[in-house]
C-alpha cells in the first residue's frame, strides 16, 4: 500500500491522456487488489478474536458487504471496457445502468447501516 502512490504517479504521468479520457486498467487492478487484500486482513482479524460475537449486526459488516459486492460488479465493467466498441448500442445502454444501480445499492446499504446499526463503544 505504501508503493501504490508511487506506482499511481508513474502510471498517470506516462499515460496522462488516458487518465483524462478513459481508464488506466493497471491502476484500477492494483487498487482492487489492495482493497481485496485489506478486506481479507480485516476478516482474518475479526475471526481471530472475540469480536466475531458482536459482528452480526455491525456497521462494518454491512459496509464491508456493500463495498465487496460493488467491487465485484464494477471491476469487470472497467476491466473489459477496452473490448467493447463505443458504437455498440447494447453496451452503451447497459453500462450506465449497471453503474447506476450498483451505486444506488451501495449508498442505500450505507444509509441502512447508518440508520439501524448501534454505535460501537470501545
Amino acid at each position: 500500500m505504501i508503493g501504490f502512490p508511487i506506482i499511481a504517479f508513474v502510471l498517470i504521468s506516462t499515460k496522462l491522456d488516458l487518465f483524462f479520457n478513459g481508464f488506466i486498467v493497471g491502476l484500477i487492478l492494483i487498487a482492487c487488489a489492495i482493497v481485496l487484500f485489506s478486506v481479507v486482513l480485516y476478516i482474518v482479524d475479526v475471526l481471530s478474536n472475540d469480536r466475531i460475537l458482536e459482528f452480526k449486526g455491525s456497521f462494518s459488516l454491512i459496509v464491508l458487504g456493500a463495498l465487496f459486492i460493488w467491487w465485484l460488479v464494477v471491476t469487470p465493467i472497467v476491466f473489459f471496457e477496452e473490448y467493447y466498441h463505443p458504437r455498440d448500442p447494447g453496451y452503451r445502454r447497459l453500462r450506465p445502468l449497471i453503474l447506476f444501480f450498483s451505486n444506488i445499492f451501495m449508498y442505500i446499504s450505507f444509509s441502512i447501516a447508518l440508520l439501524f446499526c448501534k454505535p460501537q463503544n470501545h
Side-chain angles (χ1 to χ4, degrees), residues 8-37:
F9 179 75
V10 169
L11 284 175
I12 290 171
S13 64
T14 58
K15 300 178 181 181
L16 196 58
D17 59 332
L18 189 59
F19 177 71
F20 289 111
N21 298 323
F23 295 105
I24 301 175
V25 177
L27 190 62
I28 293 172
L29 289 176
I30 293 170
C32 182
I34 289 173
V35 169
L36 187 62
F37 183 68

Side-chain angles (χ1 to χ4, degrees), residues 34-47 64 68:
I34 289 173
V35 169
L36 187 62
F37 183 68
S38 300
V39 167
V40 168
L41 285 179
Y42 178 73
I43 290 172
V44 167
D45 181 48
V46 167
L47 291 175
L64 178 71
F68 188 67

Side-chain angles (χ1 to χ4, degrees), residues 104-119:
I104 292 293
F105 167 76
M106 182 178 62
Y107 288 118
I108 286 175
S109 299
F110 290 171
S111 300
I112 289 171
L114 285 171
L115 289 174
F116 296 112
C117 291
K118 297 177 184 177

Side-chain angles (χ1 to χ4, degrees), residues 82-98:
E82 65 187 60
Y83 297 112
Y84 290 102
H85 197 275
R87 290 180 287 194
D88 183 14
Y91 178 70
R92 285 184 33 206
R93 285 191 306 265
L94 183 63
R95 183 181 180 276
L97 286 174
I98 291 173

